[in-house]
Amino acid sequence: MGFVNRDIVSIKDFKKEELEHIFKTAEKMEKDGYDSTLLRGRKVGLLFYEPSTRTRMSFDAAAHALGAETIWFAGVEGTSVMKGETLKDTIETVANYVDLIVMRHPFDGSARWAADVTTNRTKRGHKKVPIINGGDGKNEHPTQTMLDLYSIRKTQGRIDGLEIAMVGDLKYGRTVHSLSYALSMYDCKLKYVAPDSLQIPEHIETFLNRNHIQFTKHSKIEDIISSADIIYMTRIQKERFPDENEYNKVKGIFKINRALLSRAKPTARLMHPLPRVDEISVDADEDLRAYYFEQAGNGVPVRAALLSLVMGAIE
Ligand code: CP
């Protein structure tokens, strides 16, 4: 399938059958358990320039479950980034220590840049160190999308034919960008629920139109709550607003509580990449349709499958 040493930068770089292969591999690992010798002797670098709980820890858990070691930083405090080290120099350096790098960085396009740095190293006789994008600015979060699709497939038995509503900060939320690109490979009806100032970016609308994907835009959760198969909530990304006044105009705009969730189909699932702030009330956690914590749990088998495939331990 061509996974070995591949950079995982954008979900747009994947074909549907490749995603299905990752899901089947993850499903098998989840069912049969993890082979703790599969990645023995391998080292994974976790370079997190921005905060993370799920992405960093699930990659860490996946790597350890397969017998790999991890070396990491979480936040640039304490690293030489504080002394002005460039991203290129950090990647050039860490590539000497590890076999694969997972990176989260605040700049759009930084994962592609890092991938180019390790590809250029191969021209100097070094082995390729693949880069996995753990979130680059407001651009993409491809491995989140892989676990999101895995979660949809696991709960609904399929992805094709579903109505999927994405709610909240669709402008700055990288997870909904990658998810939109990925769902364009499936036969789904997409509904985007956001205030005008946070609607899905024009370049993604253009992408969807070019690929003949049905989508509609809404301003109220009530428009989608009873028909959606997946309600994908997102946090308003305060840290990405250039102007705090603009954030204050939209903060707390959408909230799902247990009463509102009770109007969803019994088979529907409420998802969220997490962390949540106040967009899902804690009382909704007890509803069987609330799936966000299980969704986060699915990060381990999906990322274990991906590490194994990219490091060439399985086909
Ligand atoms: N979903 C997600 O990326 O969560 P973290 O920011 O905690 O990694």
Side-chain angles (χ1 to χ4, degrees), residues 181-199:
Y181 292 135
L183 289 171
S184 72
M185 290 183 256
Y186 295 85
D187 176 24
C188 293
K189 205 184 275 181
L190 307 185
K191 294 193 167 177
Y192 293 113
V193 186
D196 284 348
S197 63
L198 294 181
Q199 259 298 353

Side-chain angles (χ1 to χ4, degrees), residues 48 51-56 104 134 141 144 174-175 273-275:
F48 279 69
S52 168
T53 297
R54 281 146 288 273
T55 309
R56 187 172 67 80
R104 171 172 290 185
H141 194 348
Q144 176 70 42
R174 56 195 172 201
T175 63
L274 301 176

Side-chain angles (χ1 to χ4, degrees), residues 47 86 92 121 185 192 233-234 236 293 300:
L47 275 51
T86 62
E92 289 270 11
R121 284 177 87 248
M185 290 183 256
Y192 293 113
M233 285 298 286
T234 60
I236 309 280
F293 296 121
V300 177

Side-chain angles (χ1 to χ4, degrees), residues 33-265:
Y34 301 99
D35 175 353
S36 62
T37 65
L38 203 58
L39 295 181
R40 187 178 286 163
R42 311 292 187 94
K43 290 190 178 64
V44 175
L46 304 172
L47 275 51
F48 279 69
Y49 289 78
E50 279 192 335
S52 168
T53 297
R54 281 146 288 273
T55 309
R56 187 172 67 80
M57 294 186 74
S58 61
F59 265 115
D60 207 14
H64 283 116
L66 299 170
E69 287 175 47
T70 55
I71 60 170
W72 52 271
F73 63 75
V76 294
E77 194 73 38
T79 74
S80 286
V81 176
M82 299 303 287
K83 293 184 255 178
E85 184 163 69
T86 62
L87 175 59
K88 175 178 186 294
D89 288 3
T90 302
I91 296 294
E92 289 270 11
T93 304
V94 176
N96 292 307
Y97 309 150
V98 299
D99 302 296
L100 177 148
I101 292 173
V102 182
M103 186 182 86
R104 171 172 290 185
H105 194 280
F107 294 165
D108 297 18
S110 51
R112 185 75 71 195
W113 168 245
D116 288 348
V117 170
T118 65
T119 299
N120 282 336
R121 284 177 87 248
T122 64
K123 295 175 194 156
R124 307 196 302 266
H126 298 290
K127 68 179 171 61
K128 170 67 182 170
V129 174
I131 300 288
I132 297 185
N133 182 4
D136 61 327
K138 62 183 184 320
N139 186 34
E140 281 214 52
H141 194 348
T143 68
Q144 176 70 42
T145 291
M146 289 171 187
L147 77 91
D148 292 342
L149 295 178
Y150 184 77
S151 301
I152 294 170
R153 195 174 168 273
K154 193 168 165 180
T155 60
Q156 307 293 320
R158 66 198 164 109
I159 299 174
D160 284 316
L162 299 179
E163 182 177 309
I164 298 180
M166 294 175 229
V167 184
D169 185 348
L170 310 181
K171 180 179 179 179
Y172 296 115
R174 56 195 172 201
T175 63
V176 288
H177 300 165
S178 290
L179 186 57
S180 298
Y181 292 135
L183 289 171
S184 72
M185 290 183 256
Y186 295 85
D187 176 24
C188 293
K189 205 184 275 181
L190 307 185
K191 294 193 167 177
Y192 293 113
V193 186
D196 284 348
S197 63
L198 294 181
Q199 259 298 353
I200 197 80
E202 214 173 289
H203 68 272
I204 296 182
E205 276 196 40
T206 306
F207 179 90
L208 296 172
N209 283 327
R210 206 183 299 133
N211 288 282
H212 311 290
I213 306 305
Q214 281 188 62
F215 71 94
T216 50
K217 296 198 278 184
H218 306 265
S219 57
K220 297 195 303 284
I221 295 180
E222 286 75 6
D223 289 353
I224 59 91
I225 193 75
S226 58
S227 59
D229 297 294
I230 298 293
I231 304 149
Y232 192 98
M233 285 298 286
T234 60
R235 172 178 70 89
I236 309 280
Q237 308 261 308
K238 183 180 181 188
E239 68 278 21
R240 306 213 190 274
F241 280 70
D243 177 353
E244 198 167 336
N245 291 328
E246 291 304 309
Y247 168 73
N248 288 332
K249 284 183 200 161
V250 290
K251 76 172 179 194
I253 191 162
F254 295 123
K255 285 195 168 89
I256 290 197
N257 57 20
R258 195 167 188 172
L260 184 55
L261 187 56
S262 72
R263 290 163 57 185
K265 290 175 169 178

